[in-house]
């Protein structure tokens, strides 16, 4: 049986159970650009059912299974009477309903749902086919549980936040549905869907995994990837505005230091700079311009191994215990431990914060007439009698410095702050979800810095063009197009005006990858 969205709903479909998913698959579902289907391969359905059937046989024979016939965590030594086994999953979902903090937004919640669905579809979780179908209902109809962002230590997985997914499946707690906050039961019944009654291991299977941290990591990875490209474009504009030296990005120079990401960044910047614009004011530009490929390149190179680790987690069975129905094995372990995601997110937030620092330094040079090689102080476009009362980008640079400082402050790694919890059963935990949330906040702050530099660098190039009107600065077509697109959202700054609305809009456009830079890379 294949369950899918209506053909008119989405341009494409992500098929679960037919092979590995990638980060982009998660993003397409999260952004509403693709629907989801369960593979129609009979072998896939048979494998899913095999695990659930084996568990039924095991329980019927009074076999002992952690979290099925025992309590959870430190309570694994407590045997559950057979007559109470069916109630145990419900208690698990309910006592974990204690999350706090901001709720995940729609995009994040959809990413969580597809990540959990794909993990359970690996066929090692002992869940019924009906559970996969019910998760699909949540995605298809945008029946989205309110998932608190705080309360997970990343082992045993994302227990507390994922309890809100389990609750929605069984018709408990609240969901977002049809643009309103609704009772999950009411929303399910309105759709004609019967609330799921969890089988003995299904509460644990849904909750005891890394879906929240992995979903946030997928979203963070894409934003960082786009941001690193934008940093190259903004570096080129800043270099043009300050009459920088194109030779700093020469491929012959970078051939001597073969970091792939660094060479990639240098090549993009070099291509953005016009070969005929060879007027050099300073033989060696300051580091925030000259060494930009070396800073950006760290992020570009790190993204390659981060993709590997994020996608391995995405395509893993990461609950406990694992059930191999064909071999009739119950395997107890710790695959709920989110160490790879934690380390990737700790590393990514550091790399991204370095991008914030780089762009903030470039902005500081642009606004300072001691260093910007003849541009007006604070990039003020008011050049006439009103010039003394206009201050251009002065306050924007202060704001950029504040956002950068906050981003840098958040780079303390979360993964080293493991806390012993749950009667010292969970005595070494990953903190992966905290690391992912930190990374998203660092990205948000860095995107704000990028928005500030975007407006300032475009202003700087325009001012340079006005100064050199007899011999205008030559721009490559991609830069001409980029500046024109920025101008659609922000006018040249002559007389002072509040820039908050423009900065907010630019920040959102950056987050949505509006620019799609270097598409042929």
């Amino acid at each position: 049986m294949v369950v899918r969205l209506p053909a008119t709903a989405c341009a494409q479909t992500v098929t679960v159970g037919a092979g590995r998913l990638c980060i982009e698959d998660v993003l397409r579902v999260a952004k509403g650009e693709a629907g989801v289907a369960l593979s129609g391969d009979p072998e896939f359905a048979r494998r899913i059912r095999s695990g659930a059937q084996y568990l039924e046989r095991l329980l019927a024979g009074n076999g002992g299974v952690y979290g099925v016939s025992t309590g959870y965590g430190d309570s694994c030594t407590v045997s559950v009477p057979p007559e109470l086994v069916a109630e145990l999953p419900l208690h698990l979902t309910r006592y974990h309903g204690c999350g706090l903090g901001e709720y995940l937004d729609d995009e994040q919640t959809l990413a969580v749902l597809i990540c959990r669905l794909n993990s359970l579809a690996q066929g090692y979780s002992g869940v019924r086919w009906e559970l996969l179908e019910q998760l699909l209902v949540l995605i298809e109809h945008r029946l989205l549980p309110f998932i608190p962002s705080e309360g997970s230590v990343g082992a045993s997985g994302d227990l507390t936040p994922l309890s809100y997914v389990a609750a929605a499946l069984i018709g408990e707690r609240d969901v977002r549905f049809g643009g309103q906050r609704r009772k999950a039961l009411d929303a399910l019944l309105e759709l004609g869907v019967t609330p799921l009654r969890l089988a003995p291991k299904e509460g644990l299977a849904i909750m005891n995994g890394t879906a929240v941290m992995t979903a946030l990591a997928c979203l963070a990875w894409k934003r960082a990837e786009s941001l690193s490209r934008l940093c190259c474009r903004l570096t080129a504009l800043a270099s043009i505005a300050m009459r920088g030296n194109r030779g700093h990005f020469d491929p012959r120079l970078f051939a001597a230091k073969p970091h792939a990401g660094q060479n990639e960044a240098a090549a993009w910047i070099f291509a953005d700079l016009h070969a005929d614009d060879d007027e050099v004011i300073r033989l060696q530009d300051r580091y925030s311009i000259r060494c930009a490929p070396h800073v950006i390149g760290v992020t570009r190179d790190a993204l390659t191994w981060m993709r590997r680790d994020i996608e391995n987690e995405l395509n893993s069975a990461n609950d406990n215990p694992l059930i191999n129905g064909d071999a009739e094995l119950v395997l107890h372990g710790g695959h709920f431990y989110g160490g790879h995601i934690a380390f990737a997110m700790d590393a990514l937030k550091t790399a991204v914060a370095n991008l914030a620092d780089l762009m903030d330094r470039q902005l500081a040079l642009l606004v300072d007439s001691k260093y910007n090689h003849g541009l007006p102080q604070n990039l003020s476009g008011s050049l006439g009698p009103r010039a003394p009362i206009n201050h251009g980008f002065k306050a924007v640079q202060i704001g950029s410095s504040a956002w950068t400082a906050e981003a840098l402050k958040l780079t303390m790694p979360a993964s080293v702050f493991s806390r012993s919890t749950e009667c010292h059963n969970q005595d070494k935990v990953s903190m992966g979800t905290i690391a992912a949330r930190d990374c998203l906040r660092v990205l948000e702050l860095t995107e704000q810095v990028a928005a500030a530099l975007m407006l300032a660098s475009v202003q700087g190039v325009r001012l340079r063009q006005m100064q050199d009107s007899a011999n205008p600065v030559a721009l490559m077509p991609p830069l001409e197009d980029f500046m024109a697109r920025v101008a659609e959202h922000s006018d040249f700054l002559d007389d002072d005006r509040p820039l908050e609305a423009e900065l907010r809009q630019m920040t959102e456009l950056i987050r949505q990858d509006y620019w799609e830079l270097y598409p042929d890379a």
Side-chain angles (χ1 to χ4, degrees):
M1 176 183 182
V2 179
V3 181
R4 64 176 72 250
L5 294 182
T8 56
C10 300
Q12 54 187 312
T13 300
V14 172
T15 303
V16 172
R20 286 173 65 89
L21 298 189
C22 63
I23 289 172
E24 287 76 13
D25 292 324
V26 173
L27 296 175
R28 284 196 292 271
V29 174
K31 295 177 183 296
E33 298 169 355
V36 183
L38 296 176
S39 170
D41 184 354
E43 174 57 23
F44 168 57
R46 187 206 63 77
R47 191 170 71 251
I48 296 297
R49 293 189 170 101
S50 173
Q53 290 165 357
Y54 169 57
L55 269 181
E56 288 180 8
R57 294 194 302 272
L58 195 60
L59 289 173
N62 296 317
V65 180
Y66 164 76
V68 178
S69 58
T70 75
Y72 299 112
D74 185 62
S75 301
C76 66
T77 58
V78 177
S79 295
V80 176
E83 65 272 16
L84 296 179
V85 164
E87 290 187 47
L88 188 61
L90 187 58
H91 280 260
L92 178 69
T93 66
R94 286 177 174 171
Y95 80 76
H96 273 288
C98 57
L100 293 176
E102 297 293 324
Y103 293 108
L104 301 187
D105 62 25
D106 288 5
E107 186 177 279
Q108 294 166 340
T109 304
L110 282 164
V112 169
L113 294 177
I114 183 64
C115 286
R116 198 73 213 119
L117 176 61
N118 194 57
S119 179
L120 296 177
Q122 301 305 308
Y124 292 102
S125 299
V127 301
R128 295 166 298 159
W129 183 261
E130 290 80 3
L131 174 56
L132 304 187
E133 290 183 318
Q134 193 86 328
L135 272 169
L136 212 57
V137 166
L138 301 190
I139 298 171
E140 175 183 354
H141 295 284
R142 299 300 188 262
L143 197 155
L144 304 180
F146 278 86
I147 303 177
S149 59
E150 298 172 7
S152 173
V153 294
S156 299
D158 292 314
L159 287 169
T160 289
L162 287 176
S163 77
Y164 290 78
V165 175
L169 295 172
I170 64 177
E172 294 194 358
R173 303 184 204 168
D174 292 348
V175 295
R176 291 189 293 275
F177 180 62
Q180 296 179 325
R181 183 168 187 146
R182 302 280 300 280
K183 295 296 181 184
L185 179 60
D186 294 341
L188 288 172
L189 294 178
E190 184 174 316
L191 292 170
V193 176
T194 302
L196 197 69
R197 181 178 174 84
L198 296 173
K201 186 185 177 287
E202 288 179 342
L204 190 61
I206 297 166
M207 294 165 51
N208 190 208
T210 60
V212 176
M213 68 180 81
T214 303
L216 299 184
C218 288
L219 297 170
W221 187 94
K222 177 56 180 174
R223 287 169 67 177
E225 201 279 337
S226 301
L227 192 57
S228 65
R229 293 170 181 260
L230 181 59
C231 284
C232 293
R233 174 58 49 84
L234 299 184
T235 296
L237 287 171
S239 178
I240 292 168
M242 293 186 287
R243 287 295 198 188
N245 186 344
R246 184 175 186 252
H248 294 328
F249 314 105
D250 195 310
R252 295 167 295 183
L253 171 66
F254 282 87
K257 193 173 186 184
H259 293 297
Q262 178 179 281
N263 275 261
E264 185 177 47
W268 288 340
I269 299 169
F270 189 73
D272 274 347
L273 300 175
H274 204 290
D276 294 337
D277 189 22
D278 56 1
E279 179 185 349
V280 175
I281 293 179
R282 182 182 168 97
L283 183 61
Q284 293 197 151
D285 292 331
R286 289 174 173 82
Y287 282 17
S288 63
I289 299 296
R290 187 185 357 151
C291 298
H294 306 78
V295 178
I296 301 167
V298 172
T299 303
R300 296 297 304 173
D301 282 320
L303 287 168
T304 58
W305 66 260
M306 289 173 185
R307 175 191 279 276
R308 178 201 68 197
D309 287 358
I310 293 168
E311 290 182 349
N312 278 341
E313 194 71 35
L314 169 64
N315 292 284
S316 70
N318 46 59
D319 57 303
N320 172 62
L322 297 187
I323 309 298
N324 186 326
D326 291 345
E328 297 194 337
L329 289 174
V330 178
L331 303 167
H332 294 88
H335 285 356
F336 47 68
Y337 194 91
H340 281 81
I341 297 295
F343 188 77
M345 292 296 96
D346 277 345
L348 186 58
K349 69 186 184 185
T350 298
V352 170
N354 266 299
L355 299 182
D357 197 31
L358 174 76
M359 292 186 288
D360 180 59
R361 294 302 84 208
Q362 291 176 350
L363 178 55
L365 293 179
L366 279 166
V367 300
D368 195 331
S369 59
K370 298 188 294 296
Y371 304 107
N372 64 19
H373 301 146
L375 294 176
Q377 183 74 3
N378 297 311
L379 300 177
S380 174
S382 180
L383 306 178
R386 296 179 57 80
I389 63 170
N390 280 282
H391 294 79
F393 283 81
K394 178 189 282 286
V396 171
Q397 193 277 321
I398 295 171
S400 174
S401 185
W403 306 325
T404 300
E406 186 172 348
L408 296 171
K409 179 179 72 69
L410 290 172
T411 58
M412 177 70 75
S415 56
V416 299
F417 284 90
S418 172
R419 311 294 300 154
S420 185
T421 67
E422 205 256 315
C423 301
H424 299 293
N425 176 55
Q426 301 176 14
D427 59 348
K428 173 61 177 167
V429 294
S430 76
M431 297 297 182
T433 309
I434 295 174
R437 286 173 35 234
D438 281 350
C439 187
L440 288 173
R441 176 58 178 156
V442 170
L443 277 159
E444 181 179 37
L445 291 161
T446 304
E447 287 159 356
Q448 291 172 187
V449 176
L453 179 59
M454 182 185 296
L455 298 187
S457 59
V458 168
Q459 176 90 354
V461 172
R462 288 174 178 164
L463 287 166
R464 185 67 73 186
Q465 289 174 324
M466 291 166 60
Q467 284 183 352
D468 303 336
S469 56
N471 184 28
V473 176
L475 296 179
M476 297 296 287
L479 265 68
E480 291 272 16
D481 178 67
F482 182 85
M483 291 182 57
R485 294 180 73 188
V486 172
E488 293 173 3
H489 305 280
S490 179
D491 293 331
F492 180 77
L493 184 62
D494 42 23
D495 233 35
D496 289 343
R497 65 176 185 270
L499 291 174
E500 177 190 347
E502 292 161 61
L503 288 167
R504 286 187 182 277
Q505 184 178 33
M506 286 299 176
T507 300
E508 182 59 26
L509 291 175
I510 290 168
R511 178 184 175 184
Q512 298 300 330
D513 195 21
Y514 171 77
W515 312 103
E516 296 182 343
L517 301 174
Y518 314 111
D520 297 327

